[in-house]
Amino acid sequence: KMCVLDTDRQALLVRPLYMGLLDEKQTDYAEKRLIKALENYGWRLGTGFLSTPLILDVLTEIDLEAAYRLLENEEMPGWLFMPKNGATTIWESWEGTQAQGGIASLNHYSKGAVCEWLFKTMCGIKVDGENHFVVAPQPGGHFTFANASYKSVYGEVISGWKRKDGKTVYEINIPANCTAEIKLPGREPERVNAGTYTIGG
């Protein structure tokens, strides 16, 4: 029912969208309603333990720039609030050691799951079979560069990008004895062998 989806509670929209539980009409409504819920909350995170790891994936399907907008929020609750307040890890509680009588974890999975999105979407690294990768970075937001390296069982794969003067340059390294499909925005997919590739400019 649409009335159940008419909510500012982000988790109640994120979970059914992520799990594909809605029909086409409900999906369209829930996607629009999630964007409205984020606007109503100042583009801050309103998800709990179970839905925080899912929200950027859901937003990426709706609108990549919406995902980046949420990622870039520097107010509490938001991922960048932590490093802006001295964090060098991802805290369990937004307040760091001040919460829960000083016993809250300072290196925690739920909010830390954002790192998966940084690897698989922002930098686009995915192991896709034996000795094979798909590298499909999706630049966005106000970031001018990003770079990630993943030490897989097949070797270290690296993907990064830099933006300057309206142009994006990608640097990708595929390890020895491996192949990859490189998928870049606005370009045809390209199958490559091991090596270092600089594309764009």
Side-chain angles (χ1 to χ4, degrees):
K1 293 180 180 179
M2 295 300 186
C3 61
V4 175
L5 298 172
D6 188 13
T7 178
D8 273 342
R9 292 183 62 189
Q10 296 171 20
L12 295 181
L13 299 164
V14 167
R15 284 201 293 268
L17 284 168
Y18 182 85
M19 296 176 192
L21 301 177
L22 307 175
D23 64 27
E24 190 175 339
K25 186 176 179 183
Q26 291 169 326
T27 297
D28 183 62
Y29 181 88
E31 288 177 346
K32 290 182 173 75
R33 191 61 184 83
L34 178 58
I35 298 297
K36 183 180 176 187
L38 285 160
E39 288 173 352
N40 291 346
Y41 199 47
W43 287 89
R44 293 174 295 157
L45 271 168
T47 45
F49 200 85
L50 298 176
S51 300
T52 297
L54 312 177
I55 192 168
L56 289 179
D57 287 334
V58 169
L59 287 173
T60 300
E61 290 297 312
I62 300 169
D63 175 9
L64 179 65
E65 286 306 312
Y68 272 104
R69 186 170 178 185
L70 179 62
L71 179 67
E72 291 182 340
N73 164 52
E74 296 179 4
E75 296 178 10
M76 184 175 78
W79 286 289
L80 293 186
F81 171 81
M82 290 182 267
K84 289 284 181 179
N85 285 273
T88 55
T89 55
I90 298 184
W91 301 334
E92 177 181 4
S93 297
W94 298 112
E95 301 85 358
T97 55
Q98 306 306 310
Q100 300 175 26
I103 60 167
S105 168
L106 299 181
N107 192 13
H108 207 263
Y109 161 76
S110 180
K111 297 181 187 79
V114 66
C115 294
E116 180 187 4
W117 189 88
L118 300 178
F119 275 86
K120 76 178 182 184
T121 303
M122 186 182 225
C123 292
I125 296 173
K126 179 185 177 188
V127 178
D128 191 48
E130 188 174 343
N131 296 88
H132 184 69
F133 301 92
V134 171
V135 182
Q138 297 185 58
H142 295 91
F143 292 95
T144 55
F145 74 94
N147 189 277
S149 63
Y150 176 60
K151 293 182 179 177
S152 80
V153 67
Y154 307 115
E156 185 178 33
V157 59
I158 302 169
S159 174
W161 48 265
K162 292 180 182 177
R163 297 197 292 191
K164 188 175 182 182
D165 301 325
K167 295 179 181 178
T168 305
V169 177
Y170 300 88
E171 294 256 351
I172 296 165
N173 183 269
I174 306 303
N177 303 312
C178 292
T179 58
E181 185 175 19
I182 297 176
K183 298 179 179 179
L184 301 179
R187 292 174 177 261
E188 287 295 313
E190 183 180 357
R191 193 172 174 92
V192 301
N193 294 315
T196 300
Y197 300 88
T198 301
I199 304 168

